[in-house]
């Protein structure tokens, strides 16, 4: 059998598709007689646009449409005219939507005129190689481009078998995708490692795949959805991806000079925190929350093999949360290699300073610690399991260890009040030397999240997000099963508090590049110096001696007032309760401490990382960096 | 006194000793003598290595050029050539009457314009000294890699064998090594500290 694995726009063009790499390796192992080919449609699309637009539409433009417009659906819309065989389909809807919201649609509009021809050429290229089965993997905004190509392939060669899989096919979404698109023969829902080989066996034999868990298939004109299995794929059965054909495609591509290829690896699936305390807004893990991780030494072997094979030192991990065991095996192995890796990892925010230091030493210099908020009440409401001061500690240690920290400020949790935000917003100017949030964003209702599953949590009214109206020509009841994001009446804060939060986050972002607040302890001296060079604050050096200096150091770990008092008493030179209260008040007012309402944490850092000047040039509070590097996997969670 | 956690330390960098007299305090390095980067030969190669290692360790360097050095007195195109080649290194401090190209060096210098990264049996180089002509290199040819490693330390070209000389010529043609008066030295610092955000370089 000849099988074609396809990844369509908007797979980030500097990354191989993990799914294609995994399935290729899986098929090589389980079906050695098959011939597996790959179609890197996203890369081809970048080439196609570059050529057709005579250099006007560049690979860098993919980020704006393909990654950053995830909440406006522009990437899907680019291909919806092809899917519905009508260049005007969805155009008026999008224009009206964009005018109302102030969304820039110029790049997407310029791209859309090329979409039909691209789909035709892609179909030519794939059919030239005479596949028996074409498998599409779809995540985020890959649905419509994939459906458009699948429809064209089936129109030209009805005997071809079309299979869909990927995150967009999880649970009810997969069934809705299947039953609304007759040209999609099968949809693999959930993980593909067991289901795909089982399906291919049925295709070989010409039998009905009624026993493949989770699979959607056509029984005559009826779309059947087999019951999904509760069995998750064991780590030992998760293959190590094969990126050889991707590398060939990149090497041959004129787009190569515009992109900085990175490797994608997977250590774990599911989330160990979410197994016990599912963060109320998070739908990231789909229907498979059970945490499973490859042993650290196996993950390192994979990284070692891929780095040597592809000569690439940039690595993106797709794990929603790092396995804490990796601090004992994987990360030390990475550190011991002494290679100059640059890895991206999603971690939990309550790591210790030592763990953050190890991440830095291991080359995991870009982390996403799921900070989400600095308000204890909001963090409690979302069941995040960290406090505001703990999050501040993480931000501070990122400065000490030169770790790039990506995060967003989330709000809109049912039950939160203006009061929960007042103190945090007031204190934000003091945080300007720490890495700012990319922006402050209202949470959206995501399928698979507790907020979605349980309307009693505060979102009883919901409907498919408005953007899907310019993406799919489907009735609302079908969209309700097909899509991932939903609109709801706003919960939590709004009005003036919302505006103040957004403005404070923006000010933090713009003030950050020139701001430092650095501790110094002259040798042999008990005096602490704090050099304040923060934007918006008087330029000065604070001198702390005696118990004041000790208190500031004790509060590096974040402590309650009474815990601090106990420590100072043990030190032997305790202040009175009134003295301590006065000092805490004054030091918070000087912006040297953050008070989350339960505990205090010191803000000065011991070190300052090299600040990239480019950050200052993108002060819109929405996107970091001016290099155009898509921050793949950037999502409001982790 | 209850134990306080030790402040996070940064290990003091080992800077090349001998050729460039300097003092170091915290992250600030002060070079005690004017440098002669334009004169060529071993002293210039050693000065380049010194600045390269300072850059690699993210140190701030105060240094001045010798006012009778070709980098100060030479024809504009030569000064521009050298300053353009070394733009990724800490720039000289201002001096009255300095050539405009040295002012440009100071203004255009930024962290991470040229750097190398080490992998298992290869090295990657990112070169953004000329933003309009950014280039990435992977050095994995064994001879080229060996030469790149050798010229981390200033090396007399005459001491290399034919293969080594050819490799050094290639590195120089790609502006990854500087060869003057028979002495070669590699130009890209190893990146030891990523900036924040690390994705910007
Ligand atoms: S937000 Fe992160 S920690 Fe929370 S459940 Fe989702 S993946 Fe797990």
């Amino acid at each position: 059998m000849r099988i074609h694995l396809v990844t369509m726009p908007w797979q980030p063009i500097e990354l191989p598709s993990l799914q294609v790499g995994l399935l290729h390796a899986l098929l090589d192992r389980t079906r050695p007689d098959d011939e597996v080919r790959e179609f890197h449609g996203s890369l081809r699309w970048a080439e196609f646009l570059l050529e057709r637009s005579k250099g006007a539409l560049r690979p860098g433009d993919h980020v704006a449409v393909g990654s950053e417009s995830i909440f406006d659906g522009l990437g899907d819309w680019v291909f919806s005219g092809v899917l519905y065989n009508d260049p005007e389909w969805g155009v008026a809807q999008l224009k009206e939507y964009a005018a109302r919201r102030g969304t820039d649609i110029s790049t997407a509009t310029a791209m859309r005129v090329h979409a039909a021809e691209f789909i035709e050429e892609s179909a030519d290229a794939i059919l030239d190689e005479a596949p028996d089965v074409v498998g599409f993997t779809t995540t985020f905004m890959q649905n419509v481009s994939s459906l458009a190509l699948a429809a064209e392939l089936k129109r030209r060669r009805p005997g071809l078998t079309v299979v869909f899989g990927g995150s967009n096919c999880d649970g009810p979404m997969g069934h809705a995708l299947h039953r609304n698109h007759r040209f999609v023969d099968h949809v693999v829902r959930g993980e593909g490692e067991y289901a795909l080989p089982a399906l291919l066996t049925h295709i070989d034999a010409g039998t009905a795949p009624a026993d493949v868990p989770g699979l959607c298939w056509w029984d005559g004109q009826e779309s059947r959805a087999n019951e999904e299995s509760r069995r998750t794929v064991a780590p030992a059965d998760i293959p190590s991806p094969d990126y050889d054909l991707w590398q060939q495609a990149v090497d041959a591509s004129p787009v190569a000079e515009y992109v900085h290829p990175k490797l994608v690896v997977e250590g774990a699936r599911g989330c160990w925190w979410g197994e016990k305390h599912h963060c109320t807004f998070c739908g990231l893990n789909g229907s498979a929350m059970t945490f499973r991780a490859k042993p650290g030494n196996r993950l390192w072997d994979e990284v070692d093999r891929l780095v040597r094979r592809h000569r690439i030192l940039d690595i993106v991990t797709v794990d929603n949360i790092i396995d804490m065991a990796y601090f004992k095996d994987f990360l030390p192995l990475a550190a011991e290699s002494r290679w100059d890796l640059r890895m991206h990892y999603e971690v939990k925010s309550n790591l210790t300073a030592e763990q953050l230091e190890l991440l830095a030493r291991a080359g995991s210099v870009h982390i996403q610690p799921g900070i989400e908020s600095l308000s204890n009440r909001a963090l409690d409401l979302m069941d995040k399991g960290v406090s505001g001061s703990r999050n501040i500690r993480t931000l501070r240690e990122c400065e000490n260890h030169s770790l790039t920290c990506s995060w967003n400020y989330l709000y809109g949790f049912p039950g939160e009040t203006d009061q929960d935000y007042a103190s945090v917003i007031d204190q934000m100017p003091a945080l300007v030397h720490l890495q700012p949030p990319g922006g402050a964003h209202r949470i959206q209702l995501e399928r698979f999240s507790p907020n979605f599953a349980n309307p009693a949590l505060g979102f009883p009214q919901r409907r498919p997000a408005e953007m899907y109206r310019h993406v799919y020509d489907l009735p609302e009841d079908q969209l309700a099963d097909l899509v991932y994001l939903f609109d709801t009446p706003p919960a939590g804060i709004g009005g003036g508090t919302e505006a103040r939060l957004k403005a404070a986050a923006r000010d933090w972002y713009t003030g950050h590049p020139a701001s430092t607040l650095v501790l110094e302890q002259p040798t042999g001296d008990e005096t602490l110096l704090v050099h304040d060079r923060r934007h918006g604050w008087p330029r000065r050096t604070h001198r702390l001696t005696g118990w004041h200096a000790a208190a500031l150091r004790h509060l590096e770990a974040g402590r309650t007032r009474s815990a601090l008092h106990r420590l100072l008493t043990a030190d032997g030179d305790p202040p009175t309760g009134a003295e301590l209260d006065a000092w805490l008040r004054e030091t918070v007012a000087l912006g040297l401490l953050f008070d989350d309402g339960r505990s205090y944490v010191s803000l000065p850092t011991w070190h300052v990382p090299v600040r990239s000047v480019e950050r200052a040039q993108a002060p819109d509070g929405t996107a970091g960096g001016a290099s155009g590097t898509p921050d793949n996997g950037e999502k409001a969670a982790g | 006194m209850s134990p306080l956690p030790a402040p996070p330390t940064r290990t003091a960098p080992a800077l090349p000793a001998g050729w460039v007299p300097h003092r170091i305090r915290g992250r600030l390095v002060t070079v005690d003598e004017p440098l002669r980067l334009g004169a060529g030969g071993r002293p210039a190669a050693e000065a380049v290595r010194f600045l390269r290692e300072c850059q690699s360790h993210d140190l701030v360097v105060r240094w001045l050029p010798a006012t009778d050095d070709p980098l100060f007195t030479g024809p504009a195109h030569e000064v521009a050539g050298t300053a353009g080649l070394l733009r990724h290194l800490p720039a000289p401090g201002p001096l009255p009457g300095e050539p405009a190209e040295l002012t440009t060096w100071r203004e255009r210098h930024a962290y991470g314009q040229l750097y190398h990264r080490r992998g298992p049996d290869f090295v990657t180089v990112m070169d953004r000294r000329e933003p309009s002509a950014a280039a990435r290199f992977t050095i994995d040819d064994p001879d080229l890699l060996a030469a790149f490693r050798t010229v981390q330390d200033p090396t007399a070209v005459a001491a290399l064998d034919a293969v080594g000389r050819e490799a050094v010529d290639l590195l120089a043609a790609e502006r990854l090594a500087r060869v003057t008066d028979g002495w070669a030295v590699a130009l890209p610092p190893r990146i030891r500290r990523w900036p924040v955000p690390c994705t910007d370089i």
Side-chain angles (χ1 to χ4, degrees):
Chain A
M1 183 183 285
R2 185 174 291 168
I3 303 165
H4 235 85
L5 301 173
V6 177
T7 177
M8 288 296 279
W10 303 84
Q11 159 75 29
I13 51 183
E14 80 282 19
L15 303 180
S17 160
L18 175 70
Q19 293 76 12
V20 167
L22 289 179
L23 293 177
H24 196 139
L26 174 85
L27 293 174
D28 280 349
R29 193 180 74 209
T30 55
R31 299 177 57 91
D33 295 335
D34 287 354
E35 197 181 327
V36 182
R37 304 213 174 154
E38 297 175 9
F39 183 75
H40 296 276
S42 202
L43 192 65
R44 292 249 194 162
W45 174 233
E47 293 164 11
F48 190 85
L49 287 178
L50 194 63
E51 192 228 71
R52 290 306 150 100
S53 71
K54 302 199 172 29
L57 290 168
R58 289 166 172 249
D61 295 318
H62 281 238
V63 183
V65 177
S67 314
E68 287 169 5
S69 85
I70 206 108
F71 297 110
D72 294 313
L74 301 187
D76 273 323
W77 174 83
V78 165
F79 290 95
S80 58
V82 192
L83 175 60
Y84 298 119
N85 202 17
D86 171 6
E88 286 307 308
W89 192 89
V91 172
Q93 285 105 308
L94 178 66
K95 278 192 181 150
E96 192 273 322
Y97 169 99
R100 212 165 0 99
R101 301 194 179 211
T103 311
D104 178 5
I105 57 168
S106 54
T107 309
T109 305
M111 288 177 170
R112 184 162 150 135
V113 295
H114 302 290
E117 219 181 321
F118 172 70
I119 294 295
E120 270 178 40
E121 274 203 13
S122 301
D124 291 344
I126 291 172
L127 293 178
D128 272 356
E129 299 195 19
D132 302 297
V133 173
V134 179
F136 288 84
T137 172
T138 169
T139 307
F140 293 125
M141 287 191 288
Q142 288 180 290
N143 258 8
V144 180
S145 59
S146 302
L147 287 168
L149 177 57
E152 181 64 13
L153 290 172
K154 283 293 265 195
R155 192 182 64 74
R156 295 205 213 162
R157 196 159 308 163
L160 188 73
T161 301
V162 166
V163 184
F164 269 56
S167 310
N168 287 349
C169 298
D170 203 358
M173 301 191 296
H175 191 204
L177 189 136
H178 188 252
R179 66 176 178 261
N180 285 293
H181 301 98
R182 186 62 184 83
F183 50 86
V184 176
D185 296 297
H186 305 282
V187 172
V188 174
R189 298 188 297 165
E191 297 170 300
E193 276 87 352
Y194 300 146
L196 183 64
L199 168 64
L200 293 173
T201 305
H202 279 292
I203 293 174
D204 271 337
T207 46
D211 62 348
V212 181
L215 190 82
C216 301
W217 54 285
W218 291 99
D219 188 0
Q221 286 308 308
E222 192 167 342
S223 162
R224 294 215 182 274
N226 297 345
E227 198 178 326
E228 290 172 90
S229 161
R230 300 194 74 81
R231 180 180 170 216
T232 51
V233 173
D237 294 336
I238 301 177
S240 172
D242 179 338
Y243 294 141
D244 286 4
L245 294 182
W246 166 76
Q247 183 77 59
Q248 276 178 26
V250 172
D251 288 346
S253 174
V255 162
E257 65 174 289
Y258 294 86
V259 297
H260 196 137
K262 302 177 178 69
L263 295 168
V264 180
V265 300
E266 179 182 44
R269 292 184 185 171
C271 173
W272 51 261
W273 173 256
E275 279 180 305
K276 299 191 200 83
H277 298 266
H278 194 165
C279 303
T280 56
F281 61 90
C282 168
L284 279 183
N285 296 285
S287 53
M289 181 63 85
T290 315
F291 186 71
R292 295 143 289 154
K294 293 175 184 169
N297 52 4
R298 200 185 128 203
L299 179 61
W300 175 252
D301 287 348
E302 248 177 73
V303 169
D304 180 293
R305 177 182 70 79
L306 290 168
V307 165
R308 287 176 196 274
R309 189 158 186 87
H310 299 279
R311 306 217 172 308
I312 291 176
L313 292 164
D314 288 304
I315 294 168
V316 175
T317 64
V318 295
D319 310 5
N320 283 333
I321 191 162
I322 196 169
D323 181 0
M324 296 309 283
Y326 289 173
F327 286 94
K328 295 243 159 7
D329 41 36
F330 173 69
L331 293 170
L333 286 166
E336 278 161 29
S337 76
R338 307 188 69 78
W339 304 342
D340 299 320
L341 297 168
R342 178 169 48 179
M343 284 193 277
H344 175 276
Y345 234 118
E346 292 189 32
V347 298
K348 190 105 173 47
S349 175
N350 49 7
L351 297 179
T352 62
E354 292 71 34
Q355 288 167 328
L356 290 163
E357 189 273 334
L358 175 57
L359 282 167
R361 219 161 10 96
S364 187
V365 290
H366 187 181
I367 60 169
Q368 204 173 319
I371 285 183
E372 335 290 15
S373 179
L374 302 174
S375 147
N376 279 341
R377 170 110 170 104
L379 289 162
D380 288 348
L381 284 170
M382 69 179 98
D383 210 0
K384 195 75 207 177
V386 285
S387 65
S389 63
R390 188 77 208 218
N391 278 339
I392 293 287
R393 229 171 106 179
T394 299
L395 287 173
R396 194 195 60 214
E397 293 307 315
C398 284
E399 297 302 287
N400 283 335
H401 299 294
S402 292
L403 292 166
T404 297
C405 172
S406 292
W407 67 289
N408 282 309
Y409 206 109
L410 303 182
Y411 65 90
F413 298 93
E416 67 185 16
T417 64
D418 295 341
Q419 223 189 334
D420 301 325
Y421 284 78
S423 155
V424 172
I425 295 172
D426 287 346
Q427 293 183 82
M428 273 193 184
L431 309 177
V432 65
H433 62 296
L434 305 178
Q435 289 174 59
H441 305 292
R442 180 175 287 286
I443 53 163
Q444 280 227 300
L445 186 62
E446 300 179 2
R447 186 187 296 283
F448 303 115
S449 66
N451 281 340
F452 182 83
N454 181 3
L457 287 181
F459 295 103
Q461 292 175 50
R462 71 272 304 271
R463 57 190 303 185
E466 188 193 355
M467 63 158 169
Y468 295 116
R469 282 194 243 152
H470 54 253
V471 168
Y472 297 109
D473 187 12
L474 289 173
E476 183 149 327
D477 64 325
Q478 295 303 308
L479 284 182
D481 281 344
L482 179 70
V483 304
Y484 181 70
L485 294 168
F486 292 80
D487 286 341
T488 59
I493 60 162
T497 300
E498 181 179 15
R500 283 212 309 135
L501 177 67
K502 281 183 176 287
R506 215 164 23 242
D507 290 348
W508 185 348
Y509 198 96
T510 44
H512 174 69
S515 296
T516 59
L517 181 69
V518 181
L519 270 177
E520 189 194 351
Q521 184 156 32
T523 9
D525 201 337
E526 290 208 345
T527 308
L528 269 188
L529 303 177
V530 183
H531 306 289
D532 192 345
R533 303 285 181 273
R534 282 173 298 181
H535 178 82
W537 292 79
R539 195 184 161 87
R540 59 189 162 184
T541 294
H542 301 277
R543 258 179 185 293
L544 287 85
T545 54
W547 67 264
H548 293 164
L552 194 73
R553 292 288 330 272
H554 284 309
L555 291 179
E556 282 179 11
R559 298 184 196 280
T560 60
R561 177 203 171 279
S562 48
L564 174 63
H565 199 243
R566 271 199 302 279
L567 284 168
L568 293 173
T569 307
D571 289 349
D573 175 24
T576 64
E579 282 169 336
L580 183 60
D581 287 335
W583 180 80
L584 286 168
R585 257 195 318 277
E586 186 192 333
T587 314
V588 169
L590 289 172
L592 305 185
L593 294 179
F594 178 83
D595 169 15
D596 73 5
R598 286 180 212 148
S599 54
Y600 297 86
V601 60
S602 353
L603 293 176
T605 65
W606 286 96
H607 302 292
V608 181
V610 186
R611 298 267 173 79
S612 167
V613 279
E614 296 184 50
R615 181 161 225 164
Q617 294 163 4
D620 57 6
T622 53
S627 62
T629 315
D631 206 353
N632 183 58
E634 186 80 44
K635 38 202 186 252
Chain B
M1 180 103 183
S2 44
L4 283 165
T9 48
R10 278 192 183 174
T11 42
L15 290 176
W19 286 82
V20 178
H22 63 274
R23 285 161 293 148
I24 177 162
R25 182 180 171 267
R27 287 184 52 235
L28 176 68
V29 176
T30 309
V31 179
D32 293 329
E33 279 175 11
L35 294 181
R36 314 185 68 85
L37 285 173
R42 179 156 193 191
E46 293 285 356
V48 164
R49 169 171 65 165
F50 181 83
L51 294 176
R52 188 195 69 206
E53 290 308 295
C54 288
Q55 180 68 35
S56 173
H57 288 283
D58 169 35
L59 299 171
V60 177
V61 188
R62 296 231 172 99
W63 69 275
L64 292 171
T67 49
D68 59 350
D69 184 66
L71 185 62
F72 207 84
T73 57
H77 71 275
E78 275 179 24
V79 177
T82 307
L85 193 67
L86 305 181
R87 176 164 302 149
H88 62 291
L89 300 179
L95 275 180
E98 72 178 1
E101 291 74 14
L102 296 190
T103 320
T104 310
W105 181 351
R106 233 179 355 263
E107 285 166 356
R108 300 225 182 124
H109 170 78
Y111 192 80
Q113 281 171 327
L114 173 70
Y115 62 89
H116 85 264
R117 297 164 69 181
R118 299 196 184 166
D121 46 9
F122 64 93
V123 156
T124 65
V125 179
M126 173 64 94
D127 183 359
R128 299 207 303 184
R129 280 170 294 182
E130 297 301 331
S132 56
R136 268 185 296 129
F137 304 88
T138 302
I139 302 178
D140 53 2
D141 171 81
D143 294 332
L144 206 55
L145 191 59
F148 184 78
R149 287 181 177 146
T150 302
V151 298
Q152 293 301 306
D153 296 332
T155 304
V157 178
L160 297 169
D161 62 13
V163 175
R165 279 199 296 274
E166 196 188 328
V168 166
D169 283 348
L170 256 171
L171 293 172
E174 296 291 1
R175 296 162 41 94
L176 302 183
R178 182 175 188 234
V179 182
T180 54
D181 293 347
W183 281 81
V185 64
L187 292 177
R190 179 179 184 188
I191 185 123
R192 288 188 161 89
R193 188 174 304 285
W194 289 97
V196 169
C198 62
T199 45
D200 277 0
I201 61 166

